[in-house]
Amino acid sequence: MASDARIVAVLGPTNTGKTTYAIERMLAHRTGVIGLPLRLLAREVYDRIVALRGPSVVALVTGEERIVPPRTQYWVCTVEAMPEGMGADFVAVDEIQLCADPERGHVFTDRLLRMRGLHETLFMGSDTMRGTIAALVPKVQFMRRERMSELIYSGQKKISRMRPRSAIVGFSVENVYPIAELIRRQKGGAAVVMGALSPRTRNAQVEMYQNGEVDFLVATDAIGMGLNLDVDHVAFSSLTKFDGRRMRQLAPNELAQIAGRAGRGFRSGTFGTTGDAPALDDGMARAIMDHQFTPQNKINWRNHALQFGSIDRLIETLEAKPDDDRLVRAREADDLRALKALGQVDEVFARCSDGPSVRLLWDVCRIPDFRGISHAEHADLLERIFCDLHQSGRIPDDWLARQIKRIDRTDGDIDALSKRLAFIRTWTYVAQRKGWTQDESHWRGATRVVEDRLSDALHERLTQRFVDRRTSVLLRRLGQKEAMVAEVNETGEVTVEGEYVGKLDGFRFRADKGAGGAEEKTIKSAALQALAPQFHLRADRFYNAPDTEIDFTEQGGLMWGAAAVGKLVAGSDPLKPQVEVFVDDVAGPDVAQKVQRRLQHFIDRKIAALFEPLMGLSKDETLTGLARGFAFQLVENFGLLPRAQVADDVKALDQDARGALRKHGIRFGQFTIFMPLLLKPAPTRLRLVLWSLSRELDEFPESPPPGLVTIPVEADAPQGADTMSGYRNAGARAIRIDMLERLADMVRAEDSRGGFEAKADMLSITGMTLEQFAGLMQGLGYKAEKGEREKVKPVDTSTPKDGTHKVMDETADTEVPEKTDLDTPTDDAPDKPVMDVAAEEPAGGIIEKPAPATPDDTPGAVSDMPDDGIAPLAEEPAETPLAEDGIPDVPAEETPQGTAPDAEVAGPETEVYYIFTWARSGRGGNNPRRNAGGEKPRGRSKPRKGGPRGDKGEKGGKAQNFSARPPRKEKQIDPDNPFAAALMGLKDNK
């Protein structure tokens, strides 16, 4: 070294431009070497110098990367990889305060004591090293550089309140990942920087932060070593770290090194704590702001004058003690630990019989334990590498290829990729060692390709997990307070600035379900701001939409297509409900009013169309007196009134009033006063909704499926829901009102006191089996007595001489009346208890109908007359002798086809039948002794013992039919008719 060589210690806090000054000084010389604490920082400095001087004269040497052009002038290295004995004009070592680091301090101390440039040497670092450098480096000059901006303590803050351009520092992967995940949910995402990342991954993450894709950085203390980032605030999530041996508190100067990353150039920065880290005490905070720290009077040292005579001698020289009080022997490093472990292996010990072998072993032991699995596994790997190198001078290509191929996979999560990246770093380091492989350039390239591929995959996984580009973009645009562009496609999907944010359901925005709580709030805020113009366009389209695009649900909701746009609420009049719209507040009152008017028009027109008969009834001014009051009740009950509920009013109505009401389609049924047109599915569906609103029900009953005559009775249905559904409860099932009236007309012809059986037509209109019909009749107030009897085989249809057809009842051998058109409404029911029809004597206003004729006076009898159209019965055969077993001995040829020989022994076939009789008693409409108007019947019939009367009544064997309908008025003959006289004569002679 020349006698005029300059040694300068450039000391001061962070953000003083020390590294930039060193680069400028190096480029002022012909050659130079600069050592940096991290390969990440080395790569950054390398890129800066390449940009200034070009790649042909700049080399990059780290443990895992080696770029050395033929005409290299400037070497950028990690401190451990700095070449010795090159005789460079300039030498610089950055972050010299790391001499006190327990793990790597001895390397920095060695460079402090022994690395010199021919013309200039620089040591950059903290001012705490001033005394130690002055004591150990003769003729050193000191240069003090002040911070270009202020560093201010801002206290403890929650992560959710962290402002943009902040860096949150954790000291382990276990701290970094959860913090990054939390920031993604609340702030849109964060870049992740750790020392374990490859330079490629780290640069991609930093670039994402620097160009503004994310506003937050989550990192380990690696960012404290000179990384130049645009950070305004640094927050510590912990004040302790694991230093490789134990958890310990961070010293103020260590915190200051990291906090100093806040603020760049002349822009001030702040620092503080967050998460579980407590606030800093005043003394520590003030020391960091004023850059006043305890001097580092002790630094780590390890002997550089190694002797390779044997393994034991090498270990002895490595553990030699320093001869200066400021130097402290470094604790056992990983390389020394590996050397001791391999020295115990017999094969390794036997191979290390000379100096070159021991030196080779030491070079192998210095391979870093990037994998971090265990010391034993690391020692096993080093043993294999040493034995191959010692035996053949090279690492076998096939074995090395297998190790690399096993790692070359980009599937898996972040942890899996991080482990593979750590493994490939081992082989990258091996490939960089000169002479260890057959083809150095090939294996350096192969390991670099795998590392780059894994780095890219890791960057992608980090971004997928910790960055929500959508939220990040929206937050940034919100902060810029610029109008954002929103688009809504045909399905309602909303994109803002090209990012999918959710769906527009009618006039309400639904944020993306995949978003978390804070993220959803951000998305919704940005989306609603951008959607304001879309709401007005959508409201105009809705206002002009036809009624066919709008509908109501059975729970009172109002739908526009598949989107809910409002709901019905009760109004002052049951037939005039009001509308409550579903419109986001940001849409504005104009949009809400337009939607409300359109929905109100829709429901008003729907009620007018489906309840047209009812609306006409309410507007009929010709109705007066009791008829008008009755019409009012019917309108209030949506066109359906249980007859028992208005029995007195019905009784009070005269024939003229009834006729006026019938003109509106009102039918006075035995069970219900109703309008048949309102029993259709569409009016029924709307009626249930309006009725539920008027009753203020929380859950509306649903309308029955169309076309069903009977439906199951719901036990928890509100009272009156069956009537509003168009049904009447009858036990376990409910029967449709109009079908019940037709059934009542059939039962009216039966003797309900003496008992009767169900006819085929009764079962047909209800669609029930006999057992189900019995349950229905019991629900209507009848008693059903079950019995069994011998089944009478059906007789073929006979054709009488008059040509008419008679179908014989299978059970009673009587005629079955011809089936009528069930869809034709029958006349009004008599004012008599429903289906409470006993055989009575005709009285005033009662019309008797003849009972159906039977073939014979005796039930079940069959005439043997040929002219009846029925074949005569065959003569009885002679008695058949019994066989020994008691079974009639019938020859096979005499046994009827399809009949078993023992059929007669098995007994006759039986059938189940029910006898129905009126079972209710007491006053009111259900009293069998009173009619619907409360009048006591004039006649009385006693039930005959022994079962039902069949088809014969007490009078001449014929059933009686009663009706309260008045006689029809004969049509008056027009006196001006030329045939009037003849017509009057015919009438008189009738």
Side-chain angles (χ1 to χ4, degrees), residues 478-500:
L478 281 174
Q480 295 171 354
K481 297 182 180 181
E482 296 180 0
M484 292 182 288
V485 179
E487 295 181 0
V488 183
N489 63 13
E490 295 179 355
T491 61
E493 293 182 347
V494 180
T495 57
V496 178
E497 297 294 325
E499 300 289 341
Y500 173 75

Short mmCIF file of all heavy atoms in Angstrom, two decimals, residues 478-500:
data_model
loop_
_atom_site.label_atom_id
_atom_site.label_comp_id
_atom_site.label_asym_id
_atom_site.label_seq_id
_atom_site.Cartn_x
_atom_site.Cartn_y
_atom_site.Cartn_z
N LEU A 478 -59.32 6.65 -4.97
CA LEU A 478 -60.10 7.42 -4.00
C LEU A 478 -59.26 8.54 -3.40
O LEU A 478 -59.73 9.65 -3.18
CB LEU A 478 -60.64 6.51 -2.90
CG LEU A 478 -61.87 5.67 -3.23
CD1 LEU A 478 -62.17 4.71 -2.09
CD2 LEU A 478 -63.07 6.56 -3.49
N GLY A 479 -58.01 8.21 -3.11
CA GLY A 479 -57.13 9.22 -2.54
C GLY A 479 -56.84 10.34 -3.52
O GLY A 479 -56.62 11.49 -3.11
N GLN A 480 -56.86 10.04 -4.81
CA GLN A 480 -56.61 11.08 -5.80
C GLN A 480 -57.83 11.95 -6.06
O GLN A 480 -57.73 12.97 -6.73
CB GLN A 480 -56.16 10.42 -7.11
CG GLN A 480 -54.83 9.70 -7.00
CD GLN A 480 -54.51 8.88 -8.24
OE1 GLN A 480 -55.34 8.76 -9.15
NE2 GLN A 480 -53.32 8.30 -8.27
N LYS A 481 -58.98 11.51 -5.53
CA LYS A 481 -60.23 12.26 -5.66
C LYS A 481 -60.57 12.57 -7.11
O LYS A 481 -61.02 13.65 -7.47
CB LYS A 481 -60.16 13.56 -4.84
CG LYS A 481 -60.00 13.32 -3.34
CD LYS A 481 -59.99 14.63 -2.58
CE LYS A 481 -59.84 14.37 -1.08
NZ LYS A 481 -59.84 15.61 -0.30
N GLU A 482 -60.34 11.59 -7.97
CA GLU A 482 -60.69 11.72 -9.37
C GLU A 482 -61.91 10.87 -9.67
O GLU A 482 -62.18 9.88 -8.99
CB GLU A 482 -59.52 11.29 -10.26
CG GLU A 482 -58.28 12.16 -10.11
CD GLU A 482 -57.16 11.68 -11.00
OE1 GLU A 482 -57.36 10.69 -11.72
OE2 GLU A 482 -56.08 12.29 -10.97
N ALA A 483 -62.63 11.24 -10.71
CA ALA A 483 -63.81 10.46 -11.11
C ALA A 483 -63.35 9.11 -11.64
O ALA A 483 -62.44 9.04 -12.47
CB ALA A 483 -64.59 11.22 -12.18
N MET A 484 -63.97 8.06 -11.13
CA MET A 484 -63.62 6.71 -11.56
C MET A 484 -64.65 6.20 -12.56
O MET A 484 -65.83 6.53 -12.49
CB MET A 484 -63.54 5.77 -10.35
CG MET A 484 -62.38 6.09 -9.44
SD MET A 484 -62.25 4.95 -8.05
CE MET A 484 -63.64 5.48 -7.07
N VAL A 485 -64.20 5.36 -13.46
CA VAL A 485 -65.06 4.83 -14.51
C VAL A 485 -65.61 3.49 -14.06
O VAL A 485 -64.86 2.57 -13.72
CB VAL A 485 -64.27 4.67 -15.82
CG1 VAL A 485 -65.17 4.09 -16.90
CG2 VAL A 485 -63.70 6.00 -16.26
N ALA A 486 -66.95 3.39 -14.04
CA ALA A 486 -67.62 2.15 -13.67
C ALA A 486 -68.38 1.61 -14.87
O ALA A 486 -68.95 2.37 -15.66
CB ALA A 486 -68.58 2.37 -12.51
N GLU A 487 -68.38 0.30 -15.02
CA GLU A 487 -69.12 -0.36 -16.09
C GLU A 487 -69.98 -1.46 -15.49
O GLU A 487 -69.53 -2.17 -14.57
CB GLU A 487 -68.16 -0.94 -17.13
CG GLU A 487 -67.34 0.11 -17.88
CD GLU A 487 -66.43 -0.50 -18.92
OE1 GLU A 487 -66.44 -1.74 -19.04
OE2 GLU A 487 -65.71 0.25 -19.59
N VAL A 488 -71.19 -1.60 -16.03
CA VAL A 488 -72.12 -2.64 -15.57
C VAL A 488 -72.53 -3.45 -16.81
O VAL A 488 -73.08 -2.90 -17.76
CB VAL A 488 -73.37 -2.03 -14.90
CG1 VAL A 488 -74.28 -3.13 -14.38
CG2 VAL A 488 -72.97 -1.09 -13.77
N ASN A 489 -72.26 -4.76 -16.78
CA ASN A 489 -72.63 -5.58 -17.93
C ASN A 489 -74.08 -6.04 -17.82
O ASN A 489 -74.82 -5.66 -16.90
CB ASN A 489 -71.67 -6.76 -18.08
CG ASN A 489 -71.73 -7.71 -16.89
OD1 ASN A 489 -72.65 -7.64 -16.07
ND2 ASN A 489 -70.78 -8.60 -16.79
N GLU A 490 -74.50 -6.89 -18.75
CA GLU A 490 -75.88 -7.32 -18.81
C GLU A 490 -76.31 -8.11 -17.58
O GLU A 490 -77.48 -8.13 -17.21
CB GLU A 490 -76.11 -8.15 -20.07
CG GLU A 490 -75.92 -7.35 -21.36
CD GLU A 490 -76.13 -8.22 -22.59
OE1 GLU A 490 -76.32 -9.43 -22.41
OE2 GLU A 490 -76.10 -7.67 -23.71
N THR A 491 -75.39 -8.81 -16.96
CA THR A 491 -75.72 -9.61 -15.78
C THR A 491 -75.60 -8.82 -14.49
O THR A 491 -75.79 -9.38 -13.41
CB THR A 491 -74.81 -10.85 -15.71
OG1 THR A 491 -73.44 -10.44 -15.60
CG2 THR A 491 -74.97 -11.71 -16.95
N GLY A 492 -75.27 -7.53 -14.57
CA GLY A 492 -75.17 -6.70 -13.38
C GLY A 492 -73.80 -6.67 -12.74
O GLY A 492 -73.62 -6.03 -11.70
N GLU A 493 -72.80 -7.34 -13.33
CA GLU A 493 -71.45 -7.33 -12.76
C GLU A 493 -70.83 -5.95 -12.95
O GLU A 493 -70.88 -5.37 -14.03
CB GLU A 493 -70.59 -8.40 -13.41
CG GLU A 493 -71.05 -9.82 -13.09
CD GLU A 493 -70.15 -10.86 -13.71
OE1 GLU A 493 -69.32 -10.49 -14.57
OE2 GLU A 493 -70.26 -12.04 -13.34
N VAL A 494 -70.22 -5.44 -11.87
CA VAL A 494 -69.70 -4.08 -11.86
C VAL A 494 -68.17 -4.12 -11.86
O VAL A 494 -67.56 -4.85 -11.07
CB VAL A 494 -70.20 -3.31 -10.63
CG1 VAL A 494 -69.65 -1.88 -10.64
CG2 VAL A 494 -71.70 -3.29 -10.59
N THR A 495 -67.57 -3.38 -12.76
CA THR A 495 -66.13 -3.20 -12.77
C THR A 495 -65.83 -1.72 -12.65
O THR A 495 -66.47 -0.88 -13.28
CB THR A 495 -65.51 -3.74 -14.07
OG1 THR A 495 -66.12 -3.10 -15.19
CG2 THR A 495 -65.70 -5.24 -14.18
N VAL A 496 -64.85 -1.41 -11.79
CA VAL A 496 -64.41 -0.04 -11.59
C VAL A 496 -62.93 0.03 -11.93
O VAL A 496 -62.12 -0.71 -11.36
CB VAL A 496 -64.65 0.44 -10.14
CG1 VAL A 496 -64.14 1.85 -9.95
CG2 VAL A 496 -66.13 0.37 -9.80
N GLU A 497 -62.60 0.88 -12.87
CA GLU A 497 -61.23 0.98 -13.36
C GLU A 497 -60.70 -0.38 -13.81
O GLU A 497 -59.55 -0.73 -13.61
CB GLU A 497 -60.32 1.57 -12.28
CG GLU A 497 -60.67 2.98 -11.86
CD GLU A 497 -60.44 3.98 -12.99
OE1 GLU A 497 -59.50 3.79 -13.76
OE2 GLU A 497 -61.23 4.94 -13.08
N GLY A 498 -61.60 -1.18 -14.42
CA GLY A 498 -61.22 -2.49 -14.93
C GLY A 498 -61.19 -3.59 -13.90
O GLY A 498 -60.95 -4.76 -14.26
N GLU A 499 -61.45 -3.30 -12.63
CA GLU A 499 -61.40 -4.30 -11.57
C GLU A 499 -62.81 -4.70 -11.18
O GLU A 499 -63.67 -3.84 -10.93
CB GLU A 499 -60.65 -3.77 -10.35
CG GLU A 499 -59.21 -3.38 -10.60
CD GLU A 499 -58.31 -4.58 -10.84
OE1 GLU A 499 -58.72 -5.70 -10.45
OE2 GLU A 499 -57.23 -4.42 -11.42
N TYR A 500 -63.06 -6.02 -11.11
CA TYR A 500 -64.38 -6.49 -10.68
C TYR A 500 -64.57 -6.19 -9.20
O TYR A 500 -63.73 -6.53 -8.36
CB TYR A 500 -64.50 -8.00 -10.92
CG TYR A 500 -65.77 -8.59 -10.35
CD1 TYR A 500 -66.99 -8.39 -10.97
CD2 TYR A 500 -65.74 -9.33 -9.17
CE1 TYR A 500 -68.16 -8.92 -10.45
CE2 TYR A 500 -66.90 -9.86 -8.64
CZ TYR A 500 -68.10 -9.66 -9.29
OH TYR A 500 -69.26 -10.19 -8.76
#
